[in-house]
Amino acid sequence: MPSRLKSDNGSSARLRYAIAPAAHACAVTLTLALDRMEARGSDGANALLHWGVLDRAGAPWRSPYDALREVPANSRAPDAMSCESPFLGAGTKGEETATLTLDAKDDGVGAVVFLVRTQDCKVWFKDASTNG
C-alpha cells in the first residue's frame, strides 16, 4: 500500500515499499519506490533517502555504517547518526527506487527510520499520516 509523503511547504510524493528475504540468513531487503514527487521551490531532481537505524523505539538514531554490514553504493554519511542514499533511475512504473539490505552486525537493530529529501535540501518529506 502506498504512503503519501508531505513537506512543510505543501510538496508531496508517493512512496511504496516491499520487504523480501535477502541472501544472508538473517537479512532482509527493503525496497522503497518513490513517484509522483512534486517538490515546490526545488528542482525536484535526485531524491535522497536520509535514514538511520534504531536499537528500540524512542532510542536515538544510529549510523547504518556502524550497525549494518553494508549500505547502498553511492551513499554518504552526512553526520554520525545517519546515512543518505540516492533513489535511482526509473523503475518499472516510472518511479525511482532505493534498496537497503538490512543485515545487522549485532542484535542492536530494531527499526529503520527515514525521511526523503531533494538533493538541494529545499524539500524534506515525511509520512503524511503522522503529526510529527
Side-chain angles (χ1 to χ4, degrees):
M1 179 171 171
S3 293
R4 197 170 61 82
L5 303 179
K6 67 176 182 177
S7 72
D8 290 341
N9 75 354
S11 297
S12 63
R14 184 175 72 164
L15 184 76
R16 293 179 300 105
Y17 68 90
I19 300 171
H24 304 61
C26 295
V28 296
T29 299
L30 172 62
T31 302
L32 301 160
L34 181 70
D35 68 358
R36 299 183 186 173
M37 185 169 76
E38 184 264 317
R40 297 178 185 170
S42 170
D43 62 15
N46 303 320
L48 293 173
L49 183 68
H50 180 89
W51 63 289
V53 297
L54 302 179
D55 294 347
R56 64 192 181 295
W61 286 33
R62 284 180 63 198
S63 170
Y65 285 98
D66 295 337
L68 302 176
R69 296 189 195 285
E70 65 181 82
V71 297
N74 300 316
S75 294
R76 68 181 199 92
D79 55 47
M81 298 182 303
S82 65
C83 181
E84 289 185 333
S85 303
F87 281 87
L88 302 174
T92 57
K93 298 179 182 178
E95 74 272 351
E96 296 180 330
T97 60
T99 301
L100 310 177
T101 300
L102 306 174
D103 187 9
K105 292 180 181 177
D106 57 39
D107 291 336
V109 176
V112 175
V113 289
F114 63 88
L115 299 166
V116 175
R117 74 168 180 88
T118 56
Q119 187 172 7
D120 61 12
C121 286
K122 292 182 179 178
V123 180
W124 289 74
F125 296 97
K126 62 182 178 181
D127 187 339
S129 67
T130 63
N131 294 325

